[in-house]
Amino acid sequence: MEDVAAMAGVSAMTVSRVLNTPEKVRPQTRARVMAAVQALDYRPNSAARVLATGRSGVLGVVSFDTTLYGPASTVFSIEQAAREHGYNVSIVSLSSLNRRSIGEGVERLRAQSADGIMVVAPHQSAADGLKELPSDTPLVAVGAGGDVPFPAVAVDHRAGAERAVRHLLSLGHETVVHLAGPADWVDASGRVDGWRAALEAAGRDVPRMPAGDWSARSGYEHGRQIAADPEVTAVFAANDAMALGLLRALREAGRDVPGEVSVVGFDDVPEAAYFPPPLTTVRQNFGEVGRRAFALLLDRIEGASRPAPEPAGARRVVEPELVVRESTGVRRRT
């Protein structure tokens, strides 16, 4: 550390601050110290760091093993926010989210001396497991539904769905069919609530609601039935993958999009702008989710050193954005 300090022209105390609490050091000084760290190939002794500071500099993330765009993007955004502030991230991926698996995942991270833990829990079934986690470790829930006994961050899926449906109604469509996601997902239930609320607020009929499994295949299979109903002129799919399958089914049935049927998705995956036609969808700000989750966890870690740490049960909501493209249009009157 003395060598790093000499090369950077700072004190050893400043080097320590850069490595342990980088947010408290000016960016120019931080950059100079980190350049010296890289040049000298300096690696802090993690065991000594824990003894000296009481912190490991490691944040834990409990999630489940999935390649779905939303959960994967959430974990990536958390990693990015943590590393921008000098923390390493240890991830425990679970095959399922339930009371036992979540508890075991948290214990594995506690055994690694994680300073704090974020639990990405988009399943309804995870609620009980969240309520039974230990209270002596700083914890934050991400994407969880219901009441949890510690701070949480979530996208407002209901608000996003309401925006999607209101957009379709503003184009003259009498009602909107919803191709829902799996019922045990918090994201899916929030989008169902928003779809139904927007239709009821406008005094429109609430049609039957097919439910898929987030995959393009399920969107295609349900889409074939939707395409066969000439009364359907607008569909809100619970994610972009199912919207992609729906678009194929409509195209095969000879139904023009958006001439005959308008389609809105949810997520704004990178490919959405290149769907045939480019997809109108609801964009989730995963970067903001990661930043807010990290800020909440840092509040919990620092505790009394901050003037007003977030109370247990506090919830920060990230608003989604409607992105209008070419898959929606004014309803044609026949």
Side-chain angles (χ1 to χ4, degrees):
M1 188 178 291
E2 293 289 347
D3 293 338
V4 171
M7 176 175 283
V10 299
S11 67
M13 182 69 72
T14 298
V15 175
S16 178
R17 288 197 188 97
V18 169
L19 297 175
N20 295 299
T21 54
E23 69 278 0
K24 296 181 179 179
V25 182
R26 290 184 304 173
Q28 300 91 328
T29 303
R30 192 163 66 230
R32 200 161 67 246
V33 170
M34 291 310 298
V37 166
Q38 292 178 4
L40 295 172
D41 197 23
Y42 172 71
R43 293 181 177 85
N45 185 305
S46 58
R49 180 181 188 177
V50 172
L51 290 173
T53 67
R55 297 184 187 176
S56 64
V58 173
L59 299 183
V61 176
V62 176
S63 184
F64 71 109
D65 187 14
T66 180
T67 58
L68 287 171
Y69 179 73
S73 297
T74 299
V75 172
F76 175 78
S77 71
I78 290 170
E79 281 190 282
Q80 194 170 40
R83 286 174 175 163
E84 284 175 357
H85 289 79
Y87 282 88
N88 293 315
V89 178
S90 180
I91 299 175
V92 173
S93 295
L94 307 175
S95 58
S96 63
L97 288 174
N98 53 49
R99 182 182 306 177
R100 179 178 178 180
S101 65
I102 290 175
E104 290 175 349
V106 167
E107 286 306 314
R108 284 167 60 184
L109 292 168
R110 280 159 55 92
Q112 297 176 32
S113 301
D115 294 332
I117 299 171
M118 285 172 266
V119 182
V120 181
H123 285 178
Q124 300 282 9
S125 58
D128 291 340
L130 294 176
K131 292 176 182 177
E132 296 185 3
L133 294 179
S135 59
D136 59 343
T137 297
L139 292 164
V140 167
V142 184
D147 296 326
V148 293
F150 42 89
V153 176
V155 171
D156 193 337
H157 300 283
R158 174 173 174 145
E162 288 178 330
R163 290 190 181 104
V165 174
R166 287 198 300 265
H167 169 65
L168 289 166
L169 295 179
S170 73
L171 296 172
H173 299 281
E174 293 297 325
T175 191
V176 178
V177 171
H178 181 41
L179 176 50
D184 62 338
W185 280 67
V186 174
D187 304 14
S189 62
R191 294 168 199 178
V192 169
D193 290 345
W195 163 72
R196 182 176 288 111
L199 290 179
E200 291 176 347
R204 307 301 175 86
D205 291 336
V206 179
R208 71 175 186 87
M209 184 189 71
D213 61 6
W214 296 130
S215 70
R217 176 191 53 78
S218 69
Y220 174 73
E221 292 174 352
H222 287 292
R224 293 175 68 183
Q225 298 177 14
I226 292 170
D229 185 351
E231 298 298 316
V232 175
T233 66
V235 184
F236 165 47
N239 77 335
D240 290 350
M242 290 195 297
L244 177 61
L246 169 65
L247 289 171
R248 176 179 171 180
L250 291 168
R251 185 169 60 253
E252 288 181 356
R255 302 199 65 185
D256 181 62
V257 178
E260 294 180 63
V261 183
S262 287
V263 176
V264 177
F266 205 111
D267 280 340
D268 194 25
V269 299
E271 300 83 5
Y274 303 96
F275 283 9
L279 183 67
T280 295
T281 186
V282 179
R283 177 182 295 159
Q284 301 188 68
N285 189 340
F286 293 110
E288 186 63 17
V289 170
R291 286 188 290 271
R292 293 193 185 190
F294 173 79
L296 275 176
L297 190 58
L298 196 61
D299 277 341
R300 302 291 284 174
I301 292 170
E302 298 199 346
S305 67
R306 290 199 167 208
E310 292 279 354
R315 177 175 287 266
R316 294 185 181 180
V317 176
V318 177
E319 293 293 328
E321 173 192 359
L322 179 68
V323 179
V324 178
R325 297 193 180 101
E326 297 169 28
S327 66
T328 53
V330 175
R331 179 194 174 194
R332 289 181 186 172
R333 302 289 176 176
T334 58

